[in-house]
Amino acid sequence: MKVLVVEDDINGAETIRRRLQVDGWAVDTADNGEDGLHRAQTGGYDIVVLDIMLPKMNGYEVIRALRASGVWTPVLMLTAKDGDYDQADAFDLGADDYLIKPFSFVVLNARLRALLRRGSPERPAVLTSGDLSLDPAAHVVMRGSETIDVTPREFAVLEYLLRHKGTPVSKAEIMGSVWDVNYHGDDNVVEVYIGYLRKRIDVPFGRKTIETLRGVGYRLRDDGG
């Protein structure tokens, strides 16, 4: 299997290359983000191992560009950045796994094998329904070219609906995904937030994107309303 390692530490990249080759991987390396992006887009790799702190383009920019260009090769972020927000940003942009340096080569190999088994189905980083779009990484909602202001909770409800567009979802399912486990209020709060969302994403544009299914819950139409 063919893997691309994008790492600006030449000695570190060479160590990874040698260790992976011993385990049967065919390994190419790139020492900056621009070169890594070009290789990942054209090289037909099975997996990309990507650092974050890179010259020319950082790892976040590389993965954003990859996903925007329709390249869904599994990406494992291999980096010394260990913050929760660093990891969340990587996953929101389309990363498939995240491993913090220093790391075990046994674990790296296991993670790569798991990504191979999982394959690379298309996973758009920006969620869309017609001309309605939601970017989890940038935290932006748009209708066409117009940006729509939403609260964090409205954003979370809309993201859940977009991830399940075309599928009926219940209030309980939305509650379980969006509200804290310690929330013990009435599930009618979901209905309230659906109303807020309709006033933001539908009413000003003459659309009906969020459908109410009596006795079932809600469904977000996949044509944008």
Side-chain angles (χ1 to χ4, degrees):
M1 290 295 176
K2 192 177 178 183
V3 59
L4 173 66
V5 176
V6 188
E7 166 65 71
D8 64 326
D9 178 348
I10 303 301
N11 292 331
E14 179 60 18
T15 299
I16 295 171
R17 186 187 65 79
R18 290 199 309 266
R19 293 292 296 268
L20 291 180
Q21 284 181 332
V22 168
D23 291 302
W25 296 89
V27 184
D28 290 335
T29 62
D31 62 6
N32 66 77
E34 285 186 359
D35 189 23
L37 174 61
H38 175 71
R39 288 173 179 256
Q41 289 174 323
T42 61
Y45 294 97
D46 296 294
I47 293 180
V48 175
V49 176
L50 180 64
D51 194 5
I52 291 176
M53 302 303 292
L54 295 167
K56 298 187 178 180
M57 291 180 71
N58 67 42
Y60 296 134
E61 293 170 326
V62 171
I63 194 166
R64 183 192 292 275
L66 274 179
R67 298 319 189 211
S69 64
V71 176
W72 306 106
T73 305
V75 173
L76 182 146
M77 308 299 288
L78 184 62
T79 175
K81 293 176 73 66
D82 60 356
D84 291 345
Y85 289 104
D86 297 318
Q87 298 183 51
D89 287 343
F91 285 121
D92 282 341
L93 287 169
D96 299 271
D97 203 352
Y98 196 105
L99 187 59
I100 298 169
K101 301 175 183 177
F103 60 93
S104 159
F105 278 96
V106 173
V107 173
L108 175 60
N109 260 298
R111 296 281 187 89
L112 295 180
R113 291 194 300 269
L115 288 178
L116 277 182
R117 290 194 299 271
R118 202 179 305 165
S120 55
E122 186 169 318
R123 300 175 301 277
V126 176
L127 307 175
T128 63
S129 173
D131 65 348
L132 176 68
S133 66
L134 179 148
D135 186 333
H139 209 83
V140 171
V141 175
M142 300 187 72
R143 175 72 82 172
S145 60
E146 184 171 339
T147 301
I148 302 172
D149 291 327
V150 296
T151 67
R153 185 80 72 185
E154 292 165 356
F155 187 93
V157 173
L158 181 58
E159 180 176 0
Y160 184 85
L161 292 172
L162 278 165
R163 291 190 184 280
H164 298 82
K165 67 179 179 180
T167 303
V169 293
S170 67
K171 290 182 181 179
E173 288 172 323
I174 297 173
M175 286 277 293
S177 175
V178 174
W179 270 261
D180 187 274
V181 293
N182 296 315
Y183 177 80
H184 300 296
D186 196 312
D187 67 3
N188 281 334
V189 69
V190 175
E191 185 176 337
V192 172
Y193 275 87
I194 292 294
Y196 292 158
L197 277 175
R198 283 174 170 149
K199 290 178 181 177
R200 295 186 187 275
I201 69 170
D202 279 349
V203 174
F205 304 94
R207 307 294 182 85
K208 293 183 178 180
T209 311
I210 304 174
E211 301 176 320
T212 298
L213 305 177
R214 297 197 180 279
V216 178
Y218 304 96
R219 178 173 57 206
L220 190 140
R221 293 174 52 175
D222 56 13
D223 62 0

